[in-house]
Amino acid sequence: QKEVEQNSGPLSVPEGAIASLNCTYSDRGSQSFFWYRQYSGKSPELIMFIYSNGDKEDGRFTAQLNKASQYVSLLIRDSQPSDSATYLCAVRGNNRLAFGKGNQVVVIP
Amino acid sequence: DAGVIQSPRHEVTEMGQEVTLRCKPISGHDYLFWYRQTMMRGLELLIYFNNNVPIDDSGMPEDRFSAKMPNASFSTLKIQPSEPRDSAVYFCASAFSSGLYQETQYFGPGTRLLVL
């Protein structure tokens, strides 16, 4: 079982809609969870982190964590064309980050 | 701050040649990470250092790969000899630790390596 799994294929959403991304992880002892955004040909950049169960909102982004079910999700509200990118879920354990393979989001104007 | 600096940005080499990738972390950061990214395998951690000391190199694929951090402001990742399957984007990232926790990792622009 992979440490961090992002199984959804490319996600196409119309501009202004909500994009929803999911991620599951295998290490029940994981404490810190991150979402990175990566534009094509660029390096990953952090957009959200969450440590506690529940929701955390930052502007148009909301991260949701459920440790009992071992999943973390990211919602992007009012999606904009500039949100078109690959979103990487990362989970920290033992001072190292394990990344999922990412979900590509395409926002259609 | 200039952020994490990597060089070269692009490298094309022939199989069997030695490749050296360089990284300058953000000043004051005490963690440095080397990652490799491919379409097939995603972003994989190769090795990381804390205060210039290698902590976990379990992700280094084989003995052809080696990494050093001679001081707080410089690290190298060397591949000798290189093979076509080493073609990937190699990222360096750095982070600062506060107490028990490591803060956000900041990634460099990456080195795009193509081994022919």
Side-chain angles (χ1 to χ4, degrees):
Chain A
Q1 183 184 7
K2 291 188 182 297
E3 290 184 82
V4 181
E5 294 210 47
Q6 295 178 258
N7 289 328
S8 300
L11 180 65
S12 293
V13 296
E15 184 173 354
I18 295 175
S20 177
L21 304 172
N22 296 311
C23 167
T24 58
Y25 60 94
S26 59
D27 183 0
R28 187 170 288 277
S30 300
Q31 294 296 318
S32 309
F33 308 87
F34 304 81
W35 284 99
Y36 281 78
R37 177 177 61 200
Q38 186 174 24
Y39 292 114
S40 180
K42 303 296 185 180
S43 57
E45 57 178 335
L46 182 73
I47 53 172
M48 290 282 297
F49 63 87
I50 186 167
Y51 297 152
S52 304
N53 276 330
D55 295 359
K56 179 181 179 182
E57 187 174 314
D58 184 357
R60 295 186 295 109
F61 298 95
T62 299
Q64 300 173 317
L65 174 61
N66 183 323
K67 291 186 178 180
S69 300
Q70 295 176 241
Y71 83 78
V72 58
S73 62
L74 179 70
L75 299 178
I76 308 173
R77 292 184 302 280
D78 188 23
S79 296
Q80 301 297 308
S82 60
D83 296 325
S84 297
T86 296
Y87 290 80
L88 303 171
C89 173
V91 176
R92 185 160 69 205
N94 296 323
N95 276 329
R96 57 185 292 274
L97 282 182
F99 283 85
K101 294 182 71 173
N103 287 126
Q104 185 181 9
V105 173
V106 178
V107 180
I108 303 167
Chain B
D1 199 314
V4 177
I5 299 172
Q6 291 187 247
S7 65
R9 296 290 303 275
H10 298 86
E11 178 81 20
V12 180
T13 191
E14 292 187 344
M15 182 174 62
Q17 297 298 305
E18 178 179 296
V19 175
T20 299
L21 310 181
R22 298 173 176 81
C23 175
K24 176 179 169 56
I26 293 172
S27 178
H29 283 192
D30 53 351
Y31 280 87
L32 184 140
F33 306 81
W34 282 102
Y35 291 91
R36 177 172 67 176
Q37 187 174 40
T38 61
M39 289 293 292
M40 289 295 295
R41 301 176 67 91
L43 193 61
E44 302 174 283
L45 177 67
L46 299 178
I47 185 172
Y48 79 90
F49 297 81
N50 178 220
N51 292 320
N52 313 337
V53 176
I55 303 300
D56 183 354
D57 65 353
S58 59
M60 297 286 262
E62 48 198 272
D63 292 345
R64 297 184 297 106
F65 286 69
S66 62
K68 294 182 179 180
M69 191 166 186
N71 57 61
S73 60
F74 183 66
S75 178
T76 59
L77 177 68
K78 186 175 294 186
I79 308 172
Q80 167 63 23
S82 58
E83 297 183 2
R85 60 192 168 118
D86 302 329
S87 299
V89 181
Y90 290 81
F91 288 105
C92 176
S94 71
F96 168 74
S97 63
S98 57
L100 296 175
Y101 298 102
Q102 180 195 107
E103 302 298 334
T104 302
Q105 290 189 22
Y106 293 89
F107 283 76
T111 295
R112 284 153 181 77
L113 174 64
L114 177 61
V115 183
L116 302 174

